[in-house]
Amino acid sequence: MQGSDPDGPRRLTTPLDDARVLPLHAGDRVVLTGVVYTARDAAHKRMVEALAAGRQLPFDPRGQVIYYVGPSPAPPGRVIGAAGPTTSGRMDAYAPALYRAGIRATIGKGGRSPEVRRAVAECRALYLAAVGGAGALLARCIRQVEVVAYAELGPEAVRRLIVEDFPAVVVNDAHGGDLYERVREAAGEDARP
C-alpha cells in the first residue's frame, strides 16, 4: 500500500537522487542523514533573485535538501539551539524556482500551494514535514553547523547542517501524492489547501 511503512521509517542519505526519491510516497516516514541546508524567507528571496540574475547559489543545489528553520542560539555544549520547522507556506513563492534549480526536498510544516505541489511532482522531488513544537528534540539530530551564506540575516542565514536520523514524513511525493489531502478526504472534508 502506498504511504505505508510497516518496517519503520525509510533511511535517506543526502544528496538525494531518483533512486532515493521515487520509491517514496505520501505518508512514508523517513529519517535523513547527511547534509541539509537551512533557509527561510529572506534567504529564499536572495537565492531566487540570484537565480533570476544568472548567478550561482551559495551551495550547489543539485540533490540537496532545504530545511525551513531559524534555529535559536546554541546553549553550552550543543552545536545548535532549538531547531523546529517554520511554516512552509512562507516559502511558496520561491520554492518552485529552487526545485527547478535542483533541490530535491524541502522540510517544514503545513501544507503547500498548488504551484509548489506541481513543482515537486515535475522535478521528481519531495516535501517533508517535521514535527512542529519539537525543536529541542530535532536539534539532537544535528551534529554540525556552519553558516555558508547571508550571515547578516542571523537566525535566517543559510547554514550547512550535518544531520543524523532526522525524522520527517513525506507530505508531497514525486508522483503527485499529498498526505494532507488524503487525510482530509478520509475525514470527509473538502480538499482545500
Side-chain angles (χ1 to χ4, degrees):
M1 175 179 154
Q2 290 184 354
S4 64
D5 51 357
D7 300 321
R10 305 267 185 101
R11 297 199 166 276
L12 287 180
T13 302
T14 64
L16 302 179
D17 57 16
D18 281 354
R20 290 179 174 102
V21 169
L22 294 180
L24 296 171
H25 295 277
D28 286 344
R29 291 180 301 136
V30 299
V31 288
L32 284 162
T33 296
V35 173
V36 171
Y37 291 92
T38 71
R40 285 183 39 172
D41 321 39
H44 273 71
K45 183 176 188 295
R46 289 187 187 187
M47 288 191 291
V48 169
E49 287 171 349
L51 288 172
R55 297 190 311 270
Q56 291 189 341
L57 296 180
F59 60 91
D60 183 347
R62 292 174 294 181
Q64 298 303 324
V65 177
I66 293 179
Y67 181 26
Y68 303 146
V69 61
S72 64
R78 301 257 182 194
V79 298
I80 198 166
T86 195
T87 303
S88 301
R90 295 166 51 189
M91 273 55 72
D92 279 3
Y94 310 111
L98 292 171
Y99 278 117
R100 290 183 188 105
I103 294 297
R104 289 305 288 268
T106 58
I107 306 169
K109 66 179 181 181
R112 304 309 299 262
S113 70
E115 294 78 19
V116 172
R117 294 194 308 268
R118 274 194 300 276
V120 167
E122 288 168 7
C123 297
R124 298 186 318 269
L126 300 168
Y127 167 56
L128 308 171
V131 178
L137 291 173
L138 292 172
R140 293 181 184 179
C141 301
I142 300 170
R143 304 293 182 242
Q144 294 178 26
V145 180
E146 172 191 8
V147 173
V148 295
Y150 317 136
E152 67 279 8
L153 295 178
E156 294 198 35
V158 174
R159 288 172 171 74
R160 182 180 186 269
L161 308 179
I162 303 293
V163 303
E164 184 177 341
D165 293 339
F166 186 96
V169 64
V170 177
V171 174
N172 298 114
D173 63 37
H175 314 286
D178 185 309
L179 175 62
Y180 297 153
E181 184 175 278
R182 197 170 74 201
V183 169
R184 282 190 296 269
E185 288 172 357
E189 298 176 18
D190 71 28
R192 287 173 293 174

